[in-house]
Amino acid sequence: MKATAYVVGPRDGPGAGLTEMVRQFDFATVQPFGGVVQAEQQAARTPVCYFLFAAVDDVSSLRAIADAIRFSANRRIRFSPLMYFSESPSTQVISRCIDMGFDDVITMPFNPHRILERIRRQIGRSFTYYETAGYFGPDRRGRLGSPERPEKAPQGGQFRRLEIVRNLSTGINVVRDDFFQAAEAPQPAYL
């Protein structure tokens, strides 16, 4: 697969286990995450970069890294799949990952066949992303487990709705980009 897997998180424990597991998949390269600049350089060689986040004690501690990726000026980084490998199916952890713009949250058991299927699901399909003042990530409305938290809904404002397709040959293709000025923008916590 002409893609790079970046493992984000501790290099021991869950990070080491995640690295070992994804090395058996057909990634062009698997390496620890060393920052957005490193990923931007790699994206010039492998059009799709996956960011695979190993389980941590406090998922909120990943916000700075998730924001750096999601708000990168480089389209190949900004629209990259962000996947969190959670050791528990906690709705609180899943909600926080959704708030940070993750594409997928995978819970135990970490079966290689199941994980490879979820990784492949990120390629060749159309995805809708929303961008508001405080959120950039996939559309989460109508998905099971999407929390409803109207207190986080912005009142009015601008938002973008983008449709993308990830391709292992060409990278990230934005096939539609709509800008809206609305009385109420979509609610980012459950997009």
Side-chain angles (χ1 to χ4, degrees), residues 7-20 54-55:
V7 177
V8 181
R11 292 188 187 208
D12 58 357
L18 181 56
T19 299
E20 184 178 322

Side-chain angles (χ1 to χ4, degrees), residues 94-96 98-99 146-153 187 189-190:
I94 293 168
S95 295
R96 287 184 179 163
I98 288 171
D99 285 347
S146 295
E148 297 215 12
R149 288 183 275 153
E151 73 275 6
K152 287 199 157 199
Q187 299 172 355
Y190 44 92

